[in-house]
Amino acid sequence: IQVVGDAYLKGIKGIDPALAYEAMKTTTLLDDRGLKFLKNGGYIPADSMTESVAMGMEYSISDGAIAQMAKQLGKTDDYAYFSKRAGFYKNYYDKSTGFVRGLLSDTKWRQDFSPFESRHRKDDFSEGNAWQYTWLAPHDVHGLINLMFSNILLNHALGNLVSGRSVLTFKKSLRIIHAPIRTFYITRNGLFLLFKHKGLSEEMKKDVIRCMKILKNDLIYHPQLTQVYINVMKGVFAFCFNKMGKK
């Protein structure tokens, strides 16, 4: 579905828009392969079928493609409906772990969860694990950022070094766990989120500022970390010269 939608939106010739759209819509409104659960409850229960998270996440991408095509064709009701469904990937996200995972029929998370584990045809993913599937929302990048912002910044970017930690602990962890280049990405990406990202909430901005302050304090009180200084300055220059996404 998303391949056809993408081809149409890119203006590739030889596609009958009406016929293609009807086929896409009809397919995604079927009841098999977990779609009935998706339409009725917004997610596919993990105790109803295997690979529930994989299917649910991928269906959201398809719905996003249909929504964009519906918008182009002037089908406003369909656009609203499929835009809502395109956001159902969020229902698999567990904020307590920072990963997508299997959600059962009683809305409880599947137990014995590990984001590294992958058991082909026997778990909630398909040829992957939670570490890989958590990022699978290419149709809604800003929505994904807003959904998991604190986990991206505090847990994945800083490695759980910020919340409840002293500056001394941060310095020690920085030297042991993280290469100095990590501070380059913290600085560059933090500045980008503060000044360039659209739709960032006030709470999220506070999270960024908090991380930047801890890094600043580390530089003030522990100037012997020369490489940290160098990489912070590199991060500032990378931001100023708009080098996001470049090495």
Side-chain angles (χ1 to χ4, degrees):
I1 291 174
Q2 50 265 48
V3 173
V4 177
D6 188 51
Y8 169 75
L9 293 171
K10 287 179 177 177
I12 294 177
K13 305 298 183 181
I15 297 174
D16 182 327
L19 187 61
Y21 183 79
E22 188 62 30
M24 293 163 66
K25 181 178 176 180
T26 299
T27 300
T28 200
L29 291 178
L30 296 173
D31 286 339
D32 56 353
R33 295 178 60 82
L35 284 168
K36 183 177 181 180
F37 296 107
L38 194 71
K39 291 188 295 183
N40 293 336
Y43 74 102
I44 302 173
D47 49 353
S48 68
M49 59 186 298
T50 57
E51 302 183 347
S52 60
V53 176
M55 286 192 174
M57 297 287 288
E58 291 169 17
Y59 283 147
S60 287
I61 301 174
S62 297
D63 290 333
I66 297 175
Q68 291 306 310
M69 192 167 176
K71 183 178 181 181
Q72 288 288 322
L73 296 173
K75 299 179 182 292
T76 55
D77 289 343
D78 282 0
Y79 172 68
Y81 173 73
F82 286 109
S83 291
K84 180 180 179 181
R85 277 184 40 163
F88 284 171
Y89 72 91
K90 299 175 183 178
N91 295 334
Y92 303 97
Y93 184 71
D94 175 16
K95 290 186 177 181
S96 68
T97 62
F99 295 97
V100 294
R101 59 189 294 195
L103 188 62
L104 303 174
S105 299
D106 60 3
T107 68
K108 293 181 180 178
W109 298 112
R110 185 191 288 282
Q111 298 303 303
D112 303 320
F113 169 74
S114 169
F116 300 99
E117 187 176 29
S118 177
R119 294 178 296 130
H120 186 54
R121 301 286 187 183
K122 294 181 179 179
D123 63 10
D124 304 318
F125 303 96
S126 177
E127 300 179 349
N129 58 24
W131 260 112
Q132 295 163 313
Y133 269 92
T134 295
W135 312 97
L136 191 63
H139 62 295
D140 187 25
V141 175
H142 286 176
L144 182 65
I145 290 173
N146 286 324
L147 174 68
M148 57 186 298
F149 183 82
S150 292
N151 293 93
I152 291 175
L153 190 64
L154 304 184
N155 296 344
H156 301 322
L158 296 181
N160 285 317
L161 300 179
V162 178
S163 183
R165 306 297 182 91
S166 66
V167 172
L168 183 61
T169 304
F170 179 73
K171 181 204 76 168
K172 183 179 179 182
S173 300
L174 184 69
R175 300 178 97 178
I176 294 172
I177 300 174
H178 298 291
I181 191 63
R182 178 63 62 87
T183 58
F184 164 77
Y185 292 107
I186 294 171
T187 304
R188 186 195 67 177
N189 296 356
L191 290 170
F192 174 79
L193 288 168
L194 276 176
F195 296 107
K196 294 291 183 69
H197 176 69
K198 304 299 182 183
L200 206 64
S201 72
E202 290 303 314
E203 286 302 313
M204 293 173 185
K205 289 180 181 178
K206 289 178 183 178
D207 278 345
V208 180
I209 292 170
R210 187 156 63 96
C211 289
M212 301 293 282
K213 281 183 177 178
I214 289 176
L215 188 58
K216 179 201 70 175
N217 290 339
D218 189 65
L219 298 180
I220 291 173
Y221 295 111
H222 307 285
Q224 68 272 26
L225 298 180
T226 307
Q227 285 299 314
V228 174
Y229 270 114
I230 292 172
N231 283 292
V232 165
M233 293 309 298
K234 285 183 178 179
V236 171
F237 279 109
F239 167 75
C240 292
F241 289 99
N242 199 30
K243 292 187 176 181
M244 288 298 299
K246 302 176 182 178
K247 294 182 179 180

